[in-house]
Amino acid sequence: MNKKSRKRILFFIESFSGGGAERVLLTILRNMDMEKFDVTVLVMSDSGVYSKDFHSLGISVVPVLNSNSSMLNRVKYKLLYNILSPKVAARWLLKGIEADTYVAFVEGYCTKILSCLRSDKRKIAWVHIDLKNFPWTIEEGIYQNIKEEKDAYEMFDMSIGVSNEVSDVLKTQYGLKYVRTIYNPIDENRIIKMSREQSDIQIDKSTFNIISVGRLSHQKGYDKLINLMPRILARNHLVKLYIVGEGEERRNLENQIKEQHLTDNVILTGFVKNPYSLMKKMDLFVCSSVAEGFSLVIAEALTVGLPVVSMECAGPNELLGQGKYGLLCSTYDELTNTIVNISQDKKILQELCEKSRIRASDFNTTNIISTIENIL
């Protein structure tokens, strides 16, 4: 198929940082049939740990801001985020770019900008979070209120929620009619292959090792998880917690660990390029998030065969089959007791491992990518 007959798709994302949305988009682009699609990724800031991965795909990457901190970058940022109207910003950002379908791949600024395109432009909004329980787009001032955000979403031909609960919020709270649920694709073969590689991080096999992976942000509840550790250690002193990721809460979490004398039992590893080889060494995956849409890392943990315990919230509830494929906790006290019980009972651990393997088979990359291609 020649270039002219391929469908032109533009994905708009804010950065190439180490978040779940960026990994999902990479998986989609790695598995899409590029004989059918001519893809452009418009990115606000060409920075982050996945920048090289996107540039290596052989697609068109159009950055608005470079990775440096030049005066020009700072002026552009101020204009786009604080001064120019969304309509003017949209004309500037999309000048010279023509597509058959425009995809705002994250909620927030990208959605607000693409909503300003003319009505004859085909637009899709991808939503990765339960906006009812975690309305970060309003809390950060991207939208003044829910009506303004609802008006933006109504300008899209379709909205995609990464779980049924995310989609239900779009239908009930935002009143949207054209909503489709598409689970995040999991590149299972790649994950399993990477899980067999050697990890640079050494693990003490004499302890019960817990891992959590995600951005160091308030949403992930890592401060609450760290607060549980003294109580967990009082009942089982052979427990270590590894938190993989970077983010704005790092300094606060570091101080919290020091103040509670947990430096030997709580390790902030920073960003790890291959978290799957580390996951493979662990005994348990814990999700302490206060809100999640799909929770890519839970699906990845299941794929590796790692037992999963999570706080109850939209994505994990659905992913774990309301508790059928992993344990769900409604309070952090319950999470404490659950972790201790699992750490002391190998039978429960083995049962959870088996449940993880069963559930992982439901995330078929081929079928999900085929659905996405049909929509695009």
Side-chain angles (χ1 to χ4, degrees):
M1 189 178 287
N2 61 49
K3 185 168 183 176
K4 288 185 178 179
S5 60
R6 289 188 292 167
K7 287 290 184 182
R8 298 169 301 173
I9 311 297
L10 177 132
F11 290 96
F12 187 17
I13 197 164
E14 288 211 52
S15 75
F16 295 142
S17 65
E22 292 81 2
R23 293 209 309 283
V24 171
L25 183 54
L26 269 176
T27 299
I28 291 172
L29 297 179
R30 282 172 175 150
N31 289 277
M32 278 176 63
D33 184 354
M34 291 304 175
E35 292 294 314
K36 299 177 182 176
F37 300 98
D38 179 13
V39 173
T40 296
V41 174
L42 175 65
V43 60
M44 284 300 297
S45 177
D46 189 8
S47 62
V49 293
Y50 291 124
S51 178
K52 288 183 180 179
D53 296 272
F54 277 93
H55 282 279
S56 70
L57 292 173
I59 61 173
S60 176
V61 176
V62 180
V64 178
L65 307 174
N66 296 320
S67 57
N68 59 51
S69 57
S70 67
M71 176 62 75
L72 180 59
N73 267 351
R74 291 197 293 271
V75 171
K76 278 186 176 180
Y77 183 94
K78 185 76 172 175
L79 283 170
L80 289 166
Y81 281 92
N82 303 118
I83 297 175
L84 298 179
S85 70
K87 285 186 178 180
V88 173
R91 285 199 295 270
W92 178 9
L93 293 171
L94 296 164
K95 185 179 181 181
I97 301 175
E98 286 293 331
D100 298 300
T101 300
Y102 296 79
V103 182
F105 200 71
V106 287
E107 59 280 354
Y109 184 78
C110 297
T111 303
K112 188 173 186 176
I113 293 299
L114 290 193
S115 72
C116 297
L117 291 176
R118 297 197 317 263
S119 59
D120 62 334
K121 301 288 187 181
R122 185 168 183 262
K123 303 180 289 294
I124 296 173
W126 223 287
V127 183
H128 298 263
I129 195 71
D130 173 357
L131 288 170
K132 179 180 180 180
N133 290 306
F134 194 67
W136 73 270
T137 52
I138 294 173
E139 289 173 355
E140 294 192 9
I142 295 170
Y143 298 99
Q144 296 303 307
N145 49 56
I146 193 170
K147 182 185 181 304
E148 185 183 11
E149 188 169 27
K150 177 178 178 291
D151 290 344
Y153 278 110
E154 286 180 343
M155 301 306 296
F156 285 82
D157 298 274
M158 177 188 291
S159 294
I160 293 173
V162 297
S163 71
N164 287 326
E165 290 194 44
V166 169
S167 295
D168 287 344
V169 169
L170 295 174
K171 293 173 186 175
T172 58
Q173 184 156 323
Y174 290 78
L176 303 180
K177 295 179 180 178
Y178 303 104
V179 180
R180 180 81 178 268
T181 298
I182 299 180
Y183 285 159
N184 290 331
I186 304 298
D187 199 339
E188 59 269 37
N189 292 331
R190 184 170 179 271
I191 288 172
I192 291 169
K193 181 181 178 181
M194 290 177 70
S195 73
R196 292 171 179 155
E197 295 176 2
Q198 186 66 35
S199 173
D200 294 332
I201 299 173
Q202 298 301 311
I203 302 300
D204 183 353
K205 293 184 179 179
S206 68
T207 61
F208 184 82
N209 295 302
I210 301 168
I211 189 170
S212 193
V213 182
R215 182 172 178 78
L216 304 186
S217 64
H218 172 69
Q219 173 203 342
K220 300 299 180 181
Y222 290 136
D223 57 331
K224 296 177 176 64
L225 182 57
I226 292 169
N227 278 338
L228 304 185
M229 283 299 289
R231 283 183 281 164
I232 292 170
L233 291 168
R235 296 164 64 184
N236 183 352
H237 68 280
L238 294 176
V239 174
K240 285 193 176 182
L241 169 64
Y242 294 79
I243 299 176
V244 180
E246 281 295 350
E248 62 273 15
E249 286 294 305
R250 169 174 269 280
R251 181 164 292 183
N252 290 335
L253 297 178
E254 287 175 337
N255 291 337
Q256 185 181 356
I257 291 167
K258 289 177 183 177
E259 288 169 4
Q260 299 193 43
H261 308 290
L262 293 170
T263 51
D264 291 334
N265 296 92
V266 179
I267 298 93
L268 301 181
T269 69
F271 175 79
V272 176
K273 184 71 173 178
N274 178 5
Y276 315 118
S277 60
L278 184 58
M279 282 183 181
K280 193 69 176 175
K281 293 181 175 183
M282 294 289 162
D283 298 298
L284 180 69
F285 183 92
V286 172
C287 174
S288 55
S289 296
V290 297
E292 285 286 349
F294 176 83
S295 187
L296 183 66
V297 289
I298 284 184
E300 291 170 339
L302 293 170
T303 301
V304 173
L306 193 58
V308 175
V309 174
S310 176
M311 290 298 294
E312 289 184 352
C313 52
N317 293 355
E318 202 166 316
L319 277 169
L320 298 177
Q322 310 302 322
K324 183 178 180 180
Y325 302 106
L327 299 181
L328 294 165
C329 302
S330 58
T331 67
Y332 286 98
D333 283 340
E334 185 182 353
L335 182 60
T336 301
N337 293 331
T338 300
I339 291 172
V340 171
N341 291 339
I342 293 172
S343 73
Q344 297 173 336
D345 193 328
K346 289 185 178 180
K347 185 179 179 182
I348 296 176
L349 201 62
Q350 189 56 46
E351 289 174 354
L352 286 172
C353 281
E354 186 58 34
K355 289 178 179 180
S356 292
R357 295 187 185 97
I358 293 169
R359 182 55 165 160
S361 65
D362 292 337
F363 304 113
N364 185 295
T365 303
T366 302
N367 291 343
I368 294 173
I369 294 296
S370 177
T371 300
I372 292 170
E373 287 184 343
N374 288 334
I375 288 173
L376 295 177

